[in-house]
């Protein structure tokens, strides 16, 4: 019984926070529910990157490519093939899974950090192509993407959409935590510590990295689809390098070695970005987006140097330490 | 003799740039017992281990195990063939607990697939409990009782060495490669090592032991091979090798007289 | 035919710059294991500083020397402030740090200098040479000469001087290097300084051909990666060959493809080479493969 409680406690806290968000975001002038939706969507995309960079020790600078594939699949299949929105979500996820599987099969044959370069090239290539092709709507993109519907219930408005996104976020977090806490996840952390020792202990490095890369791609794709059906419009900016980097920043700031790093990172980075957009023009009329880029770069460096486990990782570390110094109570399962 | 060879290295060579770390090495060994591998610094001992465990590819030559050519297999494939190892410069999984370090080597026994794990399917749970019991017993045998749930990184050096040996044993290897398992350990810690070697070889494991502490190597090995500059300098029973004037000249010198 | 020749000459000129960028990437990767995503920004800083000073009326030599100095300072800052303090961290974190450094440099440049391009005059004025139907800008000759000089000097440094040899030892085997008293920290700093120098040189010779702005770093860095990867990421000669090759391919292909795809070519090549021959087209497969 006790085991079950400690197992479910983190989820209970998280659900509580998710439910609290609308109350806060609709009252605080600074935030809107649209911010909350965006945070949720990007948290889903970031989560895969946390698994990839934090647990498998591999960097992708092309997560926006998978996000974009999801968004475009939803857009193209619903507007041009008359598919229901859910079809677009599924097809996008499958496409991304396959693409990641293929890329991973090649890239992980050799040791090194080639994935960072390959994903960077992949993302830029797709962005370039999406801008040229007719099926992707060229430079003007695709408009009038239908809104998501669950059966007859069309999910309109930012508040309803937020609940949907929050539910999906909860699901992917449960999936990710299950993975991390399994025997598979143990091997992942092991190879993050020492690839050679993990391999010599029987861990198939290529397979493990590939699986995580596929999971990361699928999560990003789902996030992209959710985005497309929310704004009902996509263009090549969804595949932008800047988004890939933003996701990487979210993962790092939130914490690379805990799944909670994804939602925490998405919240913090978007808040920072929102603050920069609101406050900076007031300080001086001639600073704008440029400043944001500089701030992000510096924030990334500062976090990596002074809080290497990220904000969520740091907080969890503190909690753990406190639990340890507290008088020990028997914690047997019985 | 040739037919009973279980492990066979044929013309095994590894060059790094211009340096021949291992040079045309031929070696045959029957299953069982402890084979000591000694030689001065840079003789190529670790490089031999690296090739045997699949960490690096030989420049040329062949490795045969139990009649199969295993040259060029990956480390995890070599592990699957029954080869496991420890590392000269400790390669512990620092972010895992002690028991998890050992359990990594047992993953293949609980494999329920990544998808099953994500969905939280209960299929692998019984297997997982069995593996945990196995791991606890192994820790006990290696003098790590009560430390199972400690973070491996927090242990003192000597105990980390034991964790590595336990992890290597967890794969239930047929060939165990130990690269300087006693380096940095106290005398007392070294003595229990002989007992461990007896236990392991009694179970039919073949041990390849690289160790600078010559006295221990001579006392636990059934056969000793001396490498120098990547090639074989001497080979035979410990006393014979210890008495070999070339070995004394090239390497052992004073140490043996002591 | 003379069209193709023209594309090749133009391609060799831009390819020379890519070669320099690629060389910087290879040096840092060899010595530290880090893929340095800030390399393109070194080129940008060099080119932009040179062009700005040139616009202000500073002569070729003082403008170039100032640009070199400023870029080296940026390189040292990146290494000392971001990389060195995290030395014990994992490689993937160090790589993320270079990404942070890259956007920080770009953002700060945008804040300080703005988005607009700046113009540098060619090193020597005068009409281009014409050989057959091929137009050769005077600046191309400068690009070739400076690149050749930089490559030869670097080669001399790495193979003939004690520090250079130590650096190669560090690249060969980071543990072994420590044993012969080569400090990895000093070697890392040296690698970043050289990378910044190479980037700045590339930027300075490029500036008169392509008016630099704060945003050019990303694309140039990518061409540098492509050059480096064509050579296997660990071979200086491979990077030079790769840079020239990618310059020519890009230039020739741009002559035949719709203009929108020009950039996609380099990305496509980078992607395919990584998938099929991650150890480089120009090199035998590496023996380490864990
Ligand atoms: N990855 C590598 N790259 C370059 N040279 C290497 C590499 N690994 C080993 N060497 C070189 O090969 C030679 C043999 O090294 P090895 O580590 O096998 O020796 P060893 O017998 O284990 O020495 P020690 O007793 O010091 O552990 C040495 O000259 C070493 O510098
Ligand atoms: Mg050794």
């Amino acid at each position: 019984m006790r085991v079950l409680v400690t197992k479910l406690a983190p989820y209970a806290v998280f659900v509580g926070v998710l439910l609290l968000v609308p109350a806060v975001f609709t009252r605080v002038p600074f935030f809107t529910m649209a911010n909350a939706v965006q945070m949720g969507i990007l948290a889903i995309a970031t989560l895969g990157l946390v698994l990839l960079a934090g647990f498998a020790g591999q960097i992708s600078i092309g997560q926006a490519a998978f996000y974009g594939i999801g968004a475009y699949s939803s857009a193209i299949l619903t507007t041009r093939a008359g598919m229901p929105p859910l079809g677009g979500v599924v097809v996008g996820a499958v496409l991304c899974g396959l693409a990641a599987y293929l890329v991973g099969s090649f890239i992980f044959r050799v040791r090194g950090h080639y994935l960072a370069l390959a994903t960077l090239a992949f993302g830029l290539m797709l962005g370039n192509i999406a801008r040229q092709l007719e099926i992707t709507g060229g430079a003007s993109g695709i408009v009038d993407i239908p809104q998501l519907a669950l059966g007859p219930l069309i999910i309109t408005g930012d508040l309803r959409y937020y609940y949907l996104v929050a539910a999906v976020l909860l699901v992917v977090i449960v999936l990710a935590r299950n993975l991390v806490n399994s025997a598979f996840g143990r091997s992942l952390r092991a190879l993050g510590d020492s690839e050679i020792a993990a391999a010599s202990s029987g861990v198939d490095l290529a397979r493990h990295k590939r699986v995580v890369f596929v999971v990361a791609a699928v999560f990003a794709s789902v996030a992209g689809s959710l985005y497309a059906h929310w704004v009902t419009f996509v263009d090549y900016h969804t595949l932008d390098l800047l988004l890939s980097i933003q996701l990487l920043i979210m993962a790092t700031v939130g914490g690379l070695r805990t799944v909670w790093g994804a939602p925490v990172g998405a919240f913090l980075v978007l808040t920072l970005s929102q603050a920069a957009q609101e406050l900076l023009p007031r300080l001086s009329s001639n600073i704008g987006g440029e400043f944001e880029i500089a701030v992000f770069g510096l924030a990334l460096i500062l976090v990596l140097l002074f809080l290497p486990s990220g904000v969520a990782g740091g907080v969890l570390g503190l909690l753990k330490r406190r639990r340890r110094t507290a008088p020990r109570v028997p914690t047997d399962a019985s | 003799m040739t037919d009973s060879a279980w492990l066979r290295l044929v013309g095994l060579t590894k060059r790094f740039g211009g340096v021949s770390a291992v040079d045309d090495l031929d070696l045959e060994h029957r299953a069982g017992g402890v084979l000591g591998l000694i030689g001065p610094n840079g003789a190529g001992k670790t490089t031999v281990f690296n090739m045997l465990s699949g960490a690096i590819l030989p420049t040329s030559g062949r490795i045969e195990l139990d009649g199969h050519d295993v040259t060029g297999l990956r480390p995890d494939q070599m592990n699957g063939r029954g080869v496991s190892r420890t590392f000269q410069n400790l390669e512990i999984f620092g972010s895992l607990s002690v028991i998890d370090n050992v359990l990594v080597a047992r993953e293949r026994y609980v494999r329920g697939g990544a998808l099953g794990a994500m969905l939280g399917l209960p299929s692998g749970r019984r297997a997982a409990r069995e593996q945990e019991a196995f791991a606890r017993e192994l820790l006990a045998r290696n003098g790590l009782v009560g430390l199972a749930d400690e973070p491996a990184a927090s242990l003192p050096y000597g105990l980390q060495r034991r964790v590595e040996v336990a992890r290597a044993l967890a794969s239930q290897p047929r060939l165990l490669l130990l690269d300087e398992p006693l380096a940095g350990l106290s005398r007392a810690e070294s003595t229990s090592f002989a007992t461990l070697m007896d236990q392991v070889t009694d179970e039919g494991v073949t041990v390849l032991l690289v160790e600078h502490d010559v006295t221990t190597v001579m006392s636990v090995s059934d056969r000793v091979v001396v490498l120098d500059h990547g090639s074989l300098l001497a080979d035979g029973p410990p006393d014979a090798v210890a008495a070999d004037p070339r070995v004394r000249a090239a390497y052992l010198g004073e140490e043996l007289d002591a | 035919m003379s069209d193709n020749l023209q594309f090749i000459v133009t391609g060799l000129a831009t390819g020379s710059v890519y070669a320099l960028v690629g060389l910087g990437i290879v040096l840092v990767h060899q010595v530290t294991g880090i893929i340095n995503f800030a390399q393109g920004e070194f080129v940008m800083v060099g080119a932009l500083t040179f062009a700005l000073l040139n616009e202000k009326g500073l002569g070729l030599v003082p403008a170039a020397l100032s640009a070199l100095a400023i870029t080296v300072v940026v390189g040292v800052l990146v290494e000392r402030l971001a990389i060195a303090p995290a030395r014990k961290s994992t490689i993937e974190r160090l790589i993320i740090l270079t990404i942070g450094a890259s956007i920080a440099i770009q953002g700060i440049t945008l804040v300080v200098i703005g988005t607009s391009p700046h113009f540098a005059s060619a090193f020597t004025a005068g009409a281009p040479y014409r050989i057959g139907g091929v137009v050769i800008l005077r600046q191309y000759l400068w690009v070739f000469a400076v690149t050749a000089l930089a490559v030869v000097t670097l080669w001399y440094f790495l193979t003939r001087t004690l520090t250079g040899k130590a650096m190669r030892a560090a690249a060969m085997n980071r543990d072994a290097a420590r044993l012969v008293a080569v400090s990895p920290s000093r070697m890392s700093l040296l690698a970043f300084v050289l990378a910044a120098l190479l980037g700045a040189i590339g930027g300075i010779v490029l500036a008169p051909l392509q008016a630099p702005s704060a945003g050019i770093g990303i694309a140039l860095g990518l061409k540098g990666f492509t050059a480096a990867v064509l050579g296997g990421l660990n071979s200086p000669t491979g990077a030079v060959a790769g840079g020239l090759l990618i310059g020519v391919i890009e230039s020739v292909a741009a002559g035949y493809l719709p203009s929108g795809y020009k950039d996609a070519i380099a990305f496509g090549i980078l992607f395919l080479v990584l998938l099929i021959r991650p150890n480089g087209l120009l090199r035998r497969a590496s023996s380490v493969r864990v």
Side-chain angles (χ1 to χ4, degrees), chain A residues 57 59 61 106 109-111 113-114 117-118 120-121 124-125 128 132 248 290-291 293-294 297 300-301 304-305 308, chain C residues 35 37 81-82 91-93 97 99-100 103 107 110-111 222 225 233 260-261 264 267-268 271 274-276 278 290:
Chain A
I59 304 170
I61 318 177
F106 283 103
R109 284 179 310 169
V110 281
R111 192 180 176 188
H113 290 85
Y114 297 104
L117 289 173
L120 176 65
L124 290 168
M125 206 167 60
N128 200 286
Q132 312 297 327
L248 199 58
E290 304 89 31
F291 214 80
I293 298 180
L300 186 56
I301 294 175
L304 276 168
L305 291 186
Chain C
I35 298 174
F37 281 90
L81 296 184
I91 297 283
E92 64 270 14
R93 278 165 192 263
L97 273 168
I99 296 175
I103 50 180
L110 280 165
V111 171
L222 252 150
F225 287 132
L233 213 47
Y261 288 104
F267 309 149
F271 185 61
L274 279 169
L275 290 198
I276 297 159
V290 181

Side-chain angles (χ1 to χ4, degrees), chain C residues 199-216:
Chain C
I201 295 172
I204 292 167
V205 294
L206 180 71
L209 295 173
Q210 187 183 319
S213 66
I216 60 167

Side-chain angles (χ1 to χ4, degrees), chain C:
Chain C
M1 189 55 222
S2 75
D3 261 5
N4 276 338
L5 264 181
Q6 180 70 60
F7 291 142
I8 289 173
V9 171
T10 315
L12 284 175
T14 40
S16 299
V17 176
Y18 301 162
L20 292 173
V21 188
L23 263 179
I25 290 164
V26 165
L27 277 183
V28 169
H29 183 257
Q30 271 193 314
V31 175
T32 64
I34 299 171
I35 298 174
N36 175 22
F37 281 90
Q39 181 67 23
E41 307 309 324
F42 293 161
V43 187
M44 181 274 286
V45 170
L48 199 56
T49 315
F50 177 70
L52 265 171
L53 295 175
N54 202 245
E55 274 180 354
K56 297 243 151 55
L58 217 59
L60 168 66
V61 174
L65 288 179
S66 317
L68 286 175
I70 288 181
T71 316
V72 167
V73 169
V74 172
V76 169
L77 286 179
V78 167
E79 207 279 340
R80 285 290 107 159
L81 296 184
I83 305 298
R87 174 96 304 141
K88 293 215 169 60
S89 197
T90 55
I91 297 283
E92 64 270 14
R93 278 165 192 263
L94 291 168
I95 294 176
I96 300 179
L97 273 168
T98 69
I99 296 175
S102 149
I103 50 180
I105 295 171
Q106 198 193 335
I108 293 170
T109 312
L110 280 165
V111 171
V112 176
I113 295 176
T115 51
S116 50
H118 291 268
F119 299 87
S121 40
F123 290 7
T124 40
Y129 302 105
R130 281 169 203 282
I131 300 171
V134 180
V135 179
I136 302 176
L137 299 180
R138 283 169 190 247
Q139 185 67 21
Y140 287 176
L141 299 181
W142 279 108
V143 174
F144 297 139
V146 171
T147 304
L149 187 66
V151 170
V152 170
T153 313
L154 183 69
W155 171 83
Y156 183 86
F157 170 75
L158 287 178
T159 56
R160 294 293 133 92
T161 67
L162 208 57
T163 321
K165 283 183 191 166
M167 201 165 157
R168 284 203 309 160
M172 204 61 123
N173 185 342
R174 272 170 250 154
D175 301 322
R178 203 176 326 226
L179 296 180
V180 293
V182 174
S183 143
S185 157
R186 261 190 54 216
M187 288 303 136
S188 161
L189 181 62
L190 186 57
F192 272 87
V193 165
L194 286 178
L197 268 178
L198 288 165
I201 295 172
I204 292 167
V205 294
L206 180 71
L209 295 173
Q210 187 183 319
S213 66
I216 60 167
I218 294 176
L220 283 168
L222 252 150
K223 304 296 161 62
F225 287 132
T226 315
V229 164
L230 276 169
L233 213 47
N234 276 325
S235 152
T237 8
V240 173
L244 296 175
L245 188 65
I246 189 75
V248 170
I249 292 177
E250 193 181 66
S251 164
V252 172
Y256 295 97
L257 281 176
S259 65
Y261 288 104
K262 177 170 175 271
D263 279 336
I265 295 165
F267 309 149
I269 291 176
L270 176 56
F271 185 61
L272 285 180
V273 172
L274 279 169
L275 290 198
I276 297 159
R277 290 295 304 258
N279 290 308
L281 284 185
L282 311 164
R283 201 160 152 267
R284 276 181 306 135
S286 144
S287 58
V288 182
R289 49 82 89 90
V290 181

